[in-house]
Amino acid sequence: MPHRLSSVSPPPSAGTRKSPRRRAAMCAGVLVAAVTTLAAAGTLDTAFAASGPASSGSDTATTRLSAPARSQDKARVTAAVLDLDDASREPVVYGDDTPYDTASIVKVDILAAALLQAQDAGRHLTEREQGEAKVMIERSDNAAANALWRHIGRAPGLEKANERLGLTRTKGGPGSKWGLTRTTASDQIRLLGAVFRTGPAAYTGPSVLSEASRAYIRSLMARIVDEQAWGVSAASGSDCALKNGWLQRTTTGLWDVNSVGQITVDGHHYLVAALSDGTTSMKSGISLVEQASRAAVFDATAS
């Protein structure tokens, strides 16, 4: 069943909505406060630099916040939101739209690649592949991901599929290390659009995935096990479908924590991606992506 989570604070009414510049400043303030709070608690070592707009690596996404400082022992986070119900809109990126390690959010991409290959061969996923896909998405099973990663041809197979899906800045991980695939928040919105879009959308474009393939991915993302139901879902007022990823880097001991998915707020649908790295624990990484997701979605609902 789809996850149901507590509601975010309602957006201001139309008569009290702030200007885009002021809303962006408010969102920046919320994210700065989030990182600062974690730092004060001893779980984070730095805060955002919120001095002005950052350059975006995306050719169409709008960037509203500057990039956080980045060093070996400092955390950063980027969130992106797309109003799925408004075909004229493009995603808004909060933070610097630069690459992050995917960790397990790449499992959605791996499944999309496997389904594209099956479509090309004129077949459905085998019973074994379906079993691997189910536990890979719902339980984030790594053994299943290893098998499907090999099946799609590892990084070259992923990147070939991503060319068709419209992902332009996602690079597959080396060898068997699918979790070290690199991606951006705006690319994750493109991938989500290929899965969740049901009507015309200017940013995500037409999906090469069949409706059956798209419905299959959506159904698995809506059945994430309860202990993994965190991340962008924290910004949802009702049903959501998501995939999270977390990885502790052996070289630094710091954490990559990411979350992507579709959420619903007051009956309105949004695609959200929140990517982070450099936190000192998984718990602080989850707090960071959840607070970034809430702030970004609140700004989107106020637009």
PDB file of all heavy atoms in Angstrom, residues 11 18-28 64 81 89 92 94 270 293-303:
ATOM      1  N   PRO A  11       0.643  25.864   2.823  1.00  0.00           N
ATOM      2  CA  PRO A  11       1.240  27.039   2.215  1.00  0.00           C
ATOM      3  C   PRO A  11       0.404  28.261   2.529  1.00  0.00           C
ATOM      4  O   PRO A  11      -0.782  28.158   2.860  1.00  0.00           O
ATOM      5  CB  PRO A  11       1.207  26.712   0.711  1.00  0.00           C
ATOM      6  CG  PRO A  11       0.081  25.754   0.571  1.00  0.00           C
ATOM      7  CD  PRO A  11       0.063  24.940   1.833  1.00  0.00           C
ATOM      8  N   LYS A  18       4.356  35.257  -0.746  1.00  0.00           N
ATOM      9  CA  LYS A  18       5.514  36.118  -0.891  1.00  0.00           C
ATOM     10  C   LYS A  18       5.955  36.166  -2.351  1.00  0.00           C
ATOM     11  O   LYS A  18       5.604  35.314  -3.151  1.00  0.00           O
ATOM     12  CB  LYS A  18       6.673  35.578  -0.036  1.00  0.00           C
ATOM     13  CG  LYS A  18       6.290  35.303   1.422  1.00  0.00           C
ATOM     14  CD  LYS A  18       5.958  36.582   2.166  1.00  0.00           C
ATOM     15  CE  LYS A  18       5.825  36.329   3.663  1.00  0.00           C
ATOM     16  NZ  LYS A  18       4.736  35.437   4.022  1.00  0.00           N
ATOM     17  N   SER A  19       6.759  37.138  -2.698  1.00  0.00           N
ATOM     18  CA  SER A  19       7.346  37.217  -4.032  1.00  0.00           C
ATOM     19  C   SER A  19       8.308  36.057  -4.220  1.00  0.00           C
ATOM     20  O   SER A  19       8.807  35.491  -3.244  1.00  0.00           O
ATOM     21  CB  SER A  19       8.118  38.528  -4.185  1.00  0.00           C
ATOM     22  OG  SER A  19       9.251  38.513  -3.341  1.00  0.00           O
ATOM     23  N   PRO A  20       8.601  35.648  -5.501  1.00  0.00           N
ATOM     24  CA  PRO A  20       9.546  34.546  -5.704  1.00  0.00           C
ATOM     25  C   PRO A  20      10.879  34.797  -5.021  1.00  0.00           C
ATOM     26  O   PRO A  20      11.469  33.881  -4.449  1.00  0.00           O
ATOM     27  CB  PRO A  20       9.690  34.507  -7.240  1.00  0.00           C
ATOM     28  CG  PRO A  20       8.393  35.038  -7.741  1.00  0.00           C
ATOM     29  CD  PRO A  20       7.991  36.102  -6.762  1.00  0.00           C
ATOM     30  N   ARG A  21      11.385  36.046  -5.074  1.00  0.00           N
ATOM     31  CA  ARG A  21      12.669  36.334  -4.447  1.00  0.00           C
ATOM     32  C   ARG A  21      12.602  36.123  -2.936  1.00  0.00           C
ATOM     33  O   ARG A  21      13.478  35.539  -2.324  1.00  0.00           O
ATOM     34  CB  ARG A  21      13.089  37.781  -4.757  1.00  0.00           C
ATOM     35  CG  ARG A  21      14.446  38.160  -4.148  1.00  0.00           C
ATOM     36  CD  ARG A  21      14.723  39.632  -4.385  1.00  0.00           C
ATOM     37  NE  ARG A  21      14.857  39.922  -5.793  1.00  0.00           N
ATOM     38  CZ  ARG A  21      15.997  39.819  -6.470  1.00  0.00           C
ATOM     39  NH1 ARG A  21      17.085  39.416  -5.858  1.00  0.00           N
ATOM     40  NH2 ARG A  21      16.035  40.103  -7.750  1.00  0.00           N
ATOM     41  N   ARG A  22      11.507  36.629  -2.326  1.00  0.00           N
ATOM     42  CA  ARG A  22      11.375  36.496  -0.881  1.00  0.00           C
ATOM     43  C   ARG A  22      11.150  35.057  -0.479  1.00  0.00           C
ATOM     44  O   ARG A  22      11.659  34.591   0.530  1.00  0.00           O
ATOM     45  CB  ARG A  22      10.235  37.381  -0.381  1.00  0.00           C
ATOM     46  CG  ARG A  22      10.186  37.442   1.157  1.00  0.00           C
ATOM     47  CD  ARG A  22       9.183  38.467   1.625  1.00  0.00           C
ATOM     48  NE  ARG A  22       9.136  38.500   3.076  1.00  0.00           N
ATOM     49  CZ  ARG A  22       8.255  39.213   3.757  1.00  0.00           C
ATOM     50  NH1 ARG A  22       7.360  39.963   3.112  1.00  0.00           N
ATOM     51  NH2 ARG A  22       8.253  39.199   5.072  1.00  0.00           N
ATOM     52  N   ARG A  23      10.339  34.305  -1.272  1.00  0.00           N
ATOM     53  CA  ARG A  23      10.121  32.891  -0.969  1.00  0.00           C
ATOM     54  C   ARG A  23      11.423  32.125  -1.026  1.00  0.00           C
ATOM     55  O   ARG A  23      11.706  31.273  -0.198  1.00  0.00           O
ATOM     56  CB  ARG A  23       9.120  32.279  -1.945  1.00  0.00           C
ATOM     57  CG  ARG A  23       7.693  32.692  -1.700  1.00  0.00           C
ATOM     58  CD  ARG A  23       6.760  31.705  -2.381  1.00  0.00           C
ATOM     59  NE  ARG A  23       7.164  31.430  -3.751  1.00  0.00           N
ATOM     60  CZ  ARG A  23       6.777  32.153  -4.796  1.00  0.00           C
ATOM     61  NH1 ARG A  23       6.010  33.194  -4.627  1.00  0.00           N
ATOM     62  NH2 ARG A  23       7.176  31.828  -6.008  1.00  0.00           N
ATOM     63  N   ALA A  24      12.254  32.408  -2.059  1.00  0.00           N
ATOM     64  CA  ALA A  24      13.531  31.717  -2.182  1.00  0.00           C
ATOM     65  C   ALA A  24      14.418  32.031  -0.993  1.00  0.00           C
ATOM     66  O   ALA A  24      15.108  31.160  -0.466  1.00  0.00           O
ATOM     67  CB  ALA A  24      14.230  32.126  -3.482  1.00  0.00           C
ATOM     68  N   ALA A  25      14.404  33.286  -0.553  1.00  0.00           N
ATOM     69  CA  ALA A  25      15.200  33.658   0.619  1.00  0.00           C
ATOM     70  C   ALA A  25      14.709  32.927   1.861  1.00  0.00           C
ATOM     71  O   ALA A  25      15.499  32.476   2.695  1.00  0.00           O
ATOM     72  CB  ALA A  25      15.131  35.168   0.825  1.00  0.00           C
ATOM     73  N   MET A  26      13.363  32.800   1.985  1.00  0.00           N
ATOM     74  CA  MET A  26      12.808  32.075   3.129  1.00  0.00           C
ATOM     75  C   MET A  26      13.228  30.619   3.090  1.00  0.00           C
ATOM     76  O   MET A  26      13.576  30.022   4.106  1.00  0.00           O
ATOM     77  CB  MET A  26      11.291  32.192   3.130  1.00  0.00           C
ATOM     78  CG  MET A  26      10.753  33.575   3.460  1.00  0.00           C
ATOM     79  SD  MET A  26       8.965  33.635   3.254  1.00  0.00           S
ATOM     80  CE  MET A  26       8.451  32.455   4.494  1.00  0.00           C
ATOM     81  N   CYS A  27      13.190  30.008   1.901  1.00  0.00           N
ATOM     82  CA  CYS A  27      13.582  28.604   1.760  1.00  0.00           C
ATOM     83  C   CYS A  27      15.058  28.444   2.113  1.00  0.00           C
ATOM     84  O   CYS A  27      15.451  27.502   2.790  1.00  0.00           O
ATOM     85  CB  CYS A  27      13.310  28.132   0.337  1.00  0.00           C
ATOM     86  SG  CYS A  27      13.550  26.364   0.109  1.00  0.00           S
ATOM     87  N   ALA A  28      15.893  29.387   1.651  1.00  0.00           N
ATOM     88  CA  ALA A  28      17.316  29.349   1.987  1.00  0.00           C
ATOM     89  C   ALA A  28      17.498  29.412   3.491  1.00  0.00           C
ATOM     90  O   ALA A  28      18.299  28.690   4.077  1.00  0.00           O
ATOM     91  CB  ALA A  28      18.042  30.512   1.319  1.00  0.00           C
ATOM     92  N   ARG A  64      17.684  28.212  -7.159  1.00  0.00           N
ATOM     93  CA  ARG A  64      17.262  29.289  -6.277  1.00  0.00           C
ATOM     94  C   ARG A  64      18.159  29.502  -5.073  1.00  0.00           C
ATOM     95  O   ARG A  64      18.028  30.486  -4.388  1.00  0.00           O
ATOM     96  CB  ARG A  64      15.835  29.034  -5.785  1.00  0.00           C
ATOM     97  CG  ARG A  64      14.803  29.248  -6.886  1.00  0.00           C
ATOM     98  CD  ARG A  64      13.430  29.338  -6.314  1.00  0.00           C
ATOM     99  NE  ARG A  64      12.461  29.609  -7.367  1.00  0.00           N
ATOM    100  CZ  ARG A  64      11.164  29.612  -7.179  1.00  0.00           C
ATOM    101  NH1 ARG A  64      10.672  29.370  -5.980  1.00  0.00           N
ATOM    102  NH2 ARG A  64      10.338  29.862  -8.175  1.00  0.00           N
ATOM    103  N   VAL A  81      12.533  20.069  -7.189  1.00  0.00           N
ATOM    104  CA  VAL A  81      11.090  19.828  -7.161  1.00  0.00           C
ATOM    105  C   VAL A  81      10.495  20.154  -8.521  1.00  0.00           C
ATOM    106  O   VAL A  81      10.837  21.174  -9.127  1.00  0.00           O
ATOM    107  CB  VAL A  81      10.402  20.703  -6.087  1.00  0.00           C
ATOM    108  CG1 VAL A  81       8.899  20.447  -6.079  1.00  0.00           C
ATOM    109  CG2 VAL A  81      10.985  20.444  -4.718  1.00  0.00           C
ATOM    110  N   ARG A  89       5.685  23.851 -16.402  1.00  0.00           N
ATOM    111  CA  ARG A  89       6.734  24.168 -15.444  1.00  0.00           C
ATOM    112  C   ARG A  89       7.989  23.334 -15.651  1.00  0.00           C
ATOM    113  O   ARG A  89       7.957  22.246 -16.221  1.00  0.00           O
ATOM    114  CB  ARG A  89       6.216  23.969 -14.017  1.00  0.00           C
ATOM    115  CG  ARG A  89       5.122  24.951 -13.653  1.00  0.00           C
ATOM    116  CD  ARG A  89       5.057  25.151 -12.174  1.00  0.00           C
ATOM    117  NE  ARG A  89       4.081  26.186 -11.846  1.00  0.00           N
ATOM    118  CZ  ARG A  89       3.862  26.607 -10.611  1.00  0.00           C
ATOM    119  NH1 ARG A  89       4.529  26.096  -9.619  1.00  0.00           N
ATOM    120  NH2 ARG A  89       2.965  27.546 -10.381  1.00  0.00           N
ATOM    121  N   VAL A  92      12.610  23.250 -10.095  1.00  0.00           N
ATOM    122  CA  VAL A  92      13.398  24.243  -9.382  1.00  0.00           C
ATOM    123  C   VAL A  92      14.412  23.492  -8.529  1.00  0.00           C
ATOM    124  O   VAL A  92      14.054  22.555  -7.812  1.00  0.00           O
ATOM    125  CB  VAL A  92      12.508  25.143  -8.502  1.00  0.00           C
ATOM    126  CG1 VAL A  92      13.364  26.148  -7.735  1.00  0.00           C
ATOM    127  CG2 VAL A  92      11.484  25.872  -9.367  1.00  0.00           C
ATOM    128  N   TYR A  94      17.259  23.609  -5.573  1.00  0.00           N
ATOM    129  CA  TYR A  94      17.701  24.352  -4.402  1.00  0.00           C
ATOM    130  C   TYR A  94      19.081  23.831  -4.011  1.00  0.00           C
ATOM    131  O   TYR A  94      19.221  22.721  -3.528  1.00  0.00           O
ATOM    132  CB  TYR A  94      16.711  24.169  -3.252  1.00  0.00           C
ATOM    133  CG  TYR A  94      15.308  24.623  -3.609  1.00  0.00           C
ATOM    134  CD1 TYR A  94      14.424  23.759  -4.237  1.00  0.00           C
ATOM    135  CD2 TYR A  94      14.890  25.916  -3.343  1.00  0.00           C
ATOM    136  CE1 TYR A  94      13.151  24.164  -4.580  1.00  0.00           C
ATOM    137  CE2 TYR A  94      13.612  26.339  -3.688  1.00  0.00           C
ATOM    138  CZ  TYR A  94      12.752  25.459  -4.299  1.00  0.00           C
ATOM    139  OH  TYR A  94      11.494  25.878  -4.643  1.00  0.00           O
ATOM    140  N   TYR A 270       3.926  16.144  -6.849  1.00  0.00           N
ATOM    141  CA  TYR A 270       5.255  16.713  -7.062  1.00  0.00           C
ATOM    142  C   TYR A 270       6.283  15.591  -7.172  1.00  0.00           C
ATOM    143  O   TYR A 270       6.193  14.577  -6.468  1.00  0.00           O
ATOM    144  CB  TYR A 270       5.663  17.622  -5.894  1.00  0.00           C
ATOM    145  CG  TYR A 270       4.766  18.820  -5.707  1.00  0.00           C
ATOM    146  CD1 TYR A 270       3.648  18.740  -4.884  1.00  0.00           C
ATOM    147  CD2 TYR A 270       5.018  20.022  -6.368  1.00  0.00           C
ATOM    148  CE1 TYR A 270       2.806  19.826  -4.711  1.00  0.00           C
ATOM    149  CE2 TYR A 270       4.185  21.116  -6.204  1.00  0.00           C
ATOM    150  CZ  TYR A 270       3.078  21.012  -5.378  1.00  0.00           C
ATOM    151  OH  TYR A 270       2.249  22.092  -5.220  1.00  0.00           O
ATOM    152  N   SER A 293      13.849  18.662   1.823  1.00  0.00           N
ATOM    153  CA  SER A 293      12.657  18.321   1.047  1.00  0.00           C
ATOM    154  C   SER A 293      11.465  19.153   1.498  1.00  0.00           C
ATOM    155  O   SER A 293      10.719  19.692   0.670  1.00  0.00           O
ATOM    156  CB  SER A 293      12.335  16.833   1.197  1.00  0.00           C
ATOM    157  OG  SER A 293      13.372  16.025   0.685  1.00  0.00           O
ATOM    158  N   ARG A 294      11.270  19.258   2.805  1.00  0.00           N
ATOM    159  CA  ARG A 294      10.153  20.050   3.318  1.00  0.00           C
ATOM    160  C   ARG A 294      10.264  21.502   2.867  1.00  0.00           C
ATOM    161  O   ARG A 294       9.268  22.105   2.430  1.00  0.00           O
ATOM    162  CB  ARG A 294      10.124  19.989   4.844  1.00  0.00           C
ATOM    163  CG  ARG A 294       9.709  18.657   5.421  1.00  0.00           C
ATOM    164  CD  ARG A 294       9.489  18.787   6.920  1.00  0.00           C
ATOM    165  NE  ARG A 294       9.279  17.500   7.570  1.00  0.00           N
ATOM    166  CZ  ARG A 294      10.214  16.872   8.271  1.00  0.00           C
ATOM    167  NH1 ARG A 294      11.419  17.401   8.399  1.00  0.00           N
ATOM    168  NH2 ARG A 294       9.934  15.705   8.833  1.00  0.00           N
ATOM    169  N   ALA A 295      11.447  22.088   2.989  1.00  0.00           N
ATOM    170  CA  ALA A 295      11.612  23.489   2.618  1.00  0.00           C
ATOM    171  C   ALA A 295      11.379  23.698   1.133  1.00  0.00           C
ATOM    172  O   ALA A 295      10.722  24.664   0.719  1.00  0.00           O
ATOM    173  CB  ALA A 295      13.022  23.952   3.009  1.00  0.00           C
ATOM    174  N   ALA A 296      11.910  22.800   0.294  1.00  0.00           N
ATOM    175  CA  ALA A 296      11.756  22.944  -1.143  1.00  0.00           C
ATOM    176  C   ALA A 296      10.297  22.789  -1.573  1.00  0.00           C
ATOM    177  O   ALA A 296       9.804  23.523  -2.417  1.00  0.00           O
ATOM    178  CB  ALA A 296      12.656  21.925  -1.867  1.00  0.00           C
ATOM    179  N   VAL A 297       9.621  21.795  -1.005  1.00  0.00           N
ATOM    180  CA  VAL A 297       8.214  21.574  -1.368  1.00  0.00           C
ATOM    181  C   VAL A 297       7.343  22.709  -0.863  1.00  0.00           C
ATOM    182  O   VAL A 297       6.412  23.153  -1.560  1.00  0.00           O
ATOM    183  CB  VAL A 297       7.727  20.213  -0.833  1.00  0.00           C
ATOM    184  CG1 VAL A 297       6.224  20.056  -1.012  1.00  0.00           C
ATOM    185  CG2 VAL A 297       8.464  19.079  -1.550  1.00  0.00           C
ATOM    186  N   PHE A 298       7.626  23.233   0.319  1.00  0.00           N
ATOM    187  CA  PHE A 298       6.870  24.356   0.819  1.00  0.00           C
ATOM    188  C   PHE A 298       6.995  25.549  -0.138  1.00  0.00           C
ATOM    189  O   PHE A 298       6.010  26.224  -0.463  1.00  0.00           O
ATOM    190  CB  PHE A 298       7.367  24.764   2.211  1.00  0.00           C
ATOM    191  CG  PHE A 298       6.607  25.922   2.803  1.00  0.00           C
ATOM    192  CD1 PHE A 298       5.435  25.698   3.498  1.00  0.00           C
ATOM    193  CD2 PHE A 298       7.057  27.223   2.657  1.00  0.00           C
ATOM    194  CE1 PHE A 298       4.721  26.755   4.044  1.00  0.00           C
ATOM    195  CE2 PHE A 298       6.354  28.288   3.197  1.00  0.00           C
ATOM    196  CZ  PHE A 298       5.186  28.063   3.895  1.00  0.00           C
ATOM    197  N   ASP A 299       8.207  25.785  -0.630  1.00  0.00           N
ATOM    198  CA  ASP A 299       8.401  26.882  -1.584  1.00  0.00           C
ATOM    199  C   ASP A 299       7.634  26.619  -2.872  1.00  0.00           C
ATOM    200  O   ASP A 299       7.027  27.511  -3.452  1.00  0.00           O
ATOM    201  CB  ASP A 299       9.891  27.044  -1.888  1.00  0.00           C
ATOM    202  CG  ASP A 299      10.168  28.214  -2.825  1.00  0.00           C
ATOM    203  OD1 ASP A 299       9.970  29.360  -2.418  1.00  0.00           O
ATOM    204  OD2 ASP A 299      10.552  27.942  -3.979  1.00  0.00           O
ATOM    205  N   ALA A 300       7.638  25.342  -3.335  1.00  0.00           N
ATOM    206  CA  ALA A 300       6.937  25.000  -4.562  1.00  0.00           C
ATOM    207  C   ALA A 300       5.430  25.186  -4.409  1.00  0.00           C
ATOM    208  O   ALA A 300       4.755  25.673  -5.327  1.00  0.00           O
ATOM    209  CB  ALA A 300       7.251  23.566  -4.968  1.00  0.00           C
ATOM    210  N   THR A 301       4.887  24.812  -3.261  1.00  0.00           N
ATOM    211  CA  THR A 301       3.448  24.955  -3.073  1.00  0.00           C
ATOM    212  C   THR A 301       3.045  26.411  -2.921  1.00  0.00           C
ATOM    213  O   THR A 301       1.885  26.765  -3.152  1.00  0.00           O
ATOM    214  CB  THR A 301       2.972  24.177  -1.821  1.00  0.00           C
ATOM    215  OG1 THR A 301       3.629  24.690  -0.661  1.00  0.00           O
ATOM    216  CG2 THR A 301       3.248  22.694  -1.966  1.00  0.00           C
ATOM    217  N   ALA A 302       3.985  27.264  -2.559  1.00  0.00           N
ATOM    218  CA  ALA A 302       3.692  28.693  -2.408  1.00  0.00           C
ATOM    219  C   ALA A 302       3.861  29.456  -3.701  1.00  0.00           C
ATOM    220  O   ALA A 302       3.540  30.646  -3.759  1.00  0.00           O
ATOM    221  CB  ALA A 302       4.594  29.299  -1.326  1.00  0.00           C
ATOM    222  N   SER A 303       4.385  28.803  -4.735  1.00  0.00           N
ATOM    223  CA  SER A 303       4.658  29.493  -6.007  1.00  0.00           C
ATOM    224  C   SER A 303       3.359  29.785  -6.756  1.00  0.00           C
ATOM    225  O   SER A 303       2.395  29.044  -6.627  1.00  0.00           O
ATOM    226  CB  SER A 303       5.555  28.617  -6.872  1.00  0.00           C
ATOM    227  OG  SER A 303       6.795  28.406  -6.257  1.00  0.00           O
TER     228      SER A 303
END
